[in-house]
Amino acid sequence: NIDSLARARDLVDLAKYDEAEQLTELILKEDPGNKEALILRLLIYCNRSDQAALFAYVTHIESIFPVFPEMHFILGTYHESKKQFSKATSSYSKVVFIDRAYIQAREKLLRLNIQMGNHTLVSREAKNILLQLSEKTYKQFETALIPKVNLAQLDELCRNSIR
């Protein structure tokens, strides 16, 4: 199963979504609650821009895991790619409501609020990020699907928002 997940990740990275979808289907038949396979499936639909499949799958996942921050993070990324910034902000806000230490979602909220000119929220989110980092509650993910925060970029974003 670990080899199948690694292969499915590789297929997603290579944009071979049909093959990756077939492989994740096999994984999920064996283990319907495999979170990494569920995330991969969401990424496949997101990368294909298959909105109908994406939201149908979200409904399916919510029936299994009502609290699944990674799902909301991927939805936020999808909305952001479609320039639906208020929906993206809503999705990322759900992530940090579920898991306040999910620093990547906080970084996304910070970037969106900078982009939308919400300076009060920029200041609040920057403080939240710095608080999380200072508490050493930085969340290390078991999967390599979601990029780590670039602290240099975060520092630059904070400095630019204050100017």
Side-chain angles (χ1 to χ4, degrees), residues 73-91:
F73 187 87
I74 292 168
L75 280 175
T77 303
Y78 173 80
H79 290 306
E80 195 174 351
S81 74
K82 299 296 181 189
K83 309 284 188 233
Q84 299 168 338
F85 301 125
S86 63
K87 287 182 179 181
T89 300
S90 176
S91 291

Side-chain angles (χ1 to χ4, degrees), residues 2-148:
I2 293 172
D3 291 337
S4 297
L5 282 169
R7 177 71 182 137
R9 265 194 311 275
D10 291 343
L11 290 168
V12 169
D13 290 343
L14 295 170
K16 294 183 177 183
Y17 303 126
D18 292 338
E19 292 175 54
E21 185 175 14
Q22 290 171 1
L23 190 51
T24 58
E25 183 67 31
L26 293 173
I27 295 166
L28 290 167
K29 278 184 182 174
E30 185 178 310
D31 180 8
N34 187 305
K35 286 187 174 184
E36 188 168 354
L38 293 168
I39 290 171
L40 285 170
R41 185 60 74 82
L42 285 172
L43 288 172
I44 291 165
Y45 296 143
C46 189
N47 288 329
R48 282 184 183 156
S49 290
D50 188 344
Q51 184 174 347
L54 176 65
F55 289 108
Y57 210 68
V58 164
T59 301
H60 168 71
I61 291 173
E62 286 178 327
S63 71
I64 302 170
F65 297 107
V67 179
F68 193 19
E70 292 85 352
M71 176 185 68
H72 294 291
F73 187 87
I74 292 168
L75 280 175
T77 303
Y78 173 80
H79 290 306
E80 195 174 351
S81 74
K82 299 296 181 189
K83 309 284 188 233
Q84 299 168 338
F85 301 125
S86 63
K87 287 182 179 181
T89 300
S90 176
S91 291
Y92 296 135
S93 294
K94 287 177 185 175
V95 173
V96 298
F97 179 77
I98 294 167
D99 181 356
R100 69 183 189 93
Y102 202 126
I103 201 82
Q104 289 85 351
R106 289 195 177 279
E107 181 193 22
K108 291 282 195 172
L109 279 170
L110 177 67
R111 289 175 185 273
L112 284 171
N113 285 314
I114 288 170
Q115 186 174 347
M116 295 186 302
N118 298 332
H119 299 293
T120 302
L121 296 175
V122 167
S123 175
R124 184 184 75 195
E125 209 50 59
K127 287 176 187 174
N128 285 333
I129 289 171
L130 295 173
L131 178 65
Q132 292 303 314
L133 291 173
S134 68
E135 290 178 354
K136 298 186 189 302
T137 56
Y138 182 84
K139 184 170 174 103
Q140 298 295 322
F141 296 102
E142 294 177 5
T143 65
L145 298 174
I146 302 171
K148 302 288 188 254

